[in-house]
């Protein structure tokens, strides 16, 4: 029996017989986690990330972040420091925020391991297409939350699971071998409760905004 890494409840097994991978599913908070024995090694994971076309050369990729800045970040009227957590090989969002004259730090465990970010607290932390890679999600969310100022915001982008577990097996987002943690909105609310974060807004697709209370 395995326990949910978010709420500690008992989980059931989702078995993909086609590619021989199992996931642990929590019916209480909705969290689904790829079982540890099917995780990639850090070396293979790193090589996968290198193949992503996450740069200013990809107009569609850039537009995603332009829209995120316009629709979610500018309305917050941030005047303090911002952390882009998990900025990737080409820190597009960081550069867009700098162009808007924000004070931005970034950190990525594979591409930008500058630990200076730990010396500050932040009015806004962004983490886009990152939390689905978390091996210890509750620990990672606690770490991020501790870096937020009171009244600060945490803005996430990750695909929320909105389908049942049968459809989950055919979900394109699950097919990325580096994706191991899958959240519903209920999962996010549970994570928020455990870290002093209030859900402010979500499009129930891929954007979640918390405020530290």
């Amino acid at each position: 029996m395995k326990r949910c890494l978010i709420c500690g409840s008992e989980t059931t097994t989702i078995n993909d017989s086609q590619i021989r991978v199992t996931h642990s599913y929590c019916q209480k908070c909705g969290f689904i986690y790829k079982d540890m024995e099917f995780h990639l090694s850090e070396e293979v994971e790193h090589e996968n990330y290198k193949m992503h076309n996450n740069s200013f050369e990809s107009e569609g990729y850039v537009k995603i972040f332009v829209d995120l800045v316009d629709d979610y970040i500018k309305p917050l009227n941030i005047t303090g420091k911002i952390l882009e957590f998990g900025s990737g090989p080409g820190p597009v969002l960081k550069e867009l925020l700098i162009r808007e004259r924000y004070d931005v730090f970034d950190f990525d465990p594979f591409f930008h391991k500058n630990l200076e970010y730990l010396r500050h607290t932040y009015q806004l932390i962004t983490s886009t297409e990152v939390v689905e890679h978390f091996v210890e999600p509750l620990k990672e969310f606690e770490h991020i939350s501790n870096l937020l100022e009171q009244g600060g915001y945490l803005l996430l982008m990750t695909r929320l699971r909105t389908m049942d577990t049968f459809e989950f097996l055919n979900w394109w987002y699950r097919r990325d071998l580096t994706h191991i943690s899958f959240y519903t909105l209920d999962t996010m609310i549970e994570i928020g409760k455990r870290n002093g974060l209030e859900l402010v807004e979500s499009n129930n697709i891929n954007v979640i905004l918390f405020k530290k209370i």
Side-chain angles (χ1 to χ4, degrees):
M1 181 192 70
K2 295 180 179 179
R3 293 282 180 179
C4 175
L5 296 184
I6 304 300
C7 70
S9 301
E10 293 184 18
T11 63
T12 56
T13 298
I14 301 174
N15 181 40
D16 186 335
S17 57
Q18 184 178 6
I19 58 175
R20 298 181 181 179
V21 172
T22 61
H23 295 75
S24 296
Y25 165 52
C26 178
Q27 296 185 48
K28 182 177 180 182
C29 75
F31 183 62
I32 295 180
Y33 186 74
K34 182 189 285 187
D35 290 333
M36 188 75 73
E37 56 265 36
F38 302 104
H39 292 192
L40 301 178
S41 67
E42 285 192 13
E43 293 78 12
V44 174
E45 186 179 7
H46 193 187
E47 290 302 315
N48 271 265
Y49 295 149
K50 288 179 181 178
M51 293 187 289
H52 292 178
N53 185 24
N54 297 345
S55 69
F56 277 98
E57 296 175 1
S58 174
E59 292 183 8
Y61 183 75
V62 173
K63 186 179 186 309
I64 289 172
F65 292 115
V66 169
D67 291 344
L68 189 73
V69 172
D70 288 342
D71 297 341
Y72 290 94
I73 296 178
K74 286 183 179 179
L76 299 177
N77 296 315
I78 299 298
T79 57
K81 292 181 176 62
I82 296 176
L83 171 64
E84 224 296 72
F85 187 82
S87 50
V92 171
L93 180 54
K94 176 190 176 185
E95 294 303 322
L96 290 174
L97 290 170
I98 288 173
R99 292 177 188 181
E100 295 289 340
R101 302 184 182 279
Y102 290 105
D103 184 9
V104 188
F105 291 76
D106 71 321
F107 170 78
D108 189 279
F110 291 103
F111 300 102
H112 188 62
K113 296 182 180 180
N114 183 2
L115 297 181
E116 183 187 354
Y117 83 98
L118 294 171
R119 298 170 57 188
H120 307 278
T121 57
Y122 301 91
Q123 204 171 71
L124 170 66
I125 297 177
T126 60
S127 195
T128 60
E129 292 298 312
V130 172
V131 301
E132 62 274 11
H133 305 283
F134 282 172
V135 177
E136 298 180 87
L138 209 56
K139 181 179 178 181
E140 294 284 4
F141 274 104
E142 181 181 11
H143 172 63
I144 294 171
S145 300
N146 287 340
L147 294 170
L148 269 181
E149 297 175 1
Q150 203 74 22
Y153 295 92
L154 172 61
L155 180 61
L156 307 175
M157 286 188 73
T158 188
R159 283 280 169 173
L160 294 171
R161 180 179 67 84
T162 57
M163 74 291 292
D164 61 26
T165 55
F166 178 77
E167 292 175 327
F168 170 77
L169 290 175
N170 296 314
W171 191 22
W172 64 270
Y173 199 65
R174 186 183 71 89
R175 295 290 176 174
D176 186 320
L177 297 178
T178 66
H179 291 180
I180 58 178
S181 292
F182 305 93
Y183 312 81
T184 64
L185 191 57
D186 284 341
T187 314
M188 288 295 181
I189 291 171
E190 180 66 25
I191 289 169
K193 288 178 181 177
R194 291 170 180 267
N195 289 283
L197 301 172
E198 179 182 30
L199 181 69
V200 174
E201 186 177 355
S202 174
N203 63 2
N204 208 29
I205 300 172
N206 67 337
V207 178
I208 306 97
L209 178 65
F210 287 110
K211 184 175 184 178
K212 188 168 184 178
I213 54 178

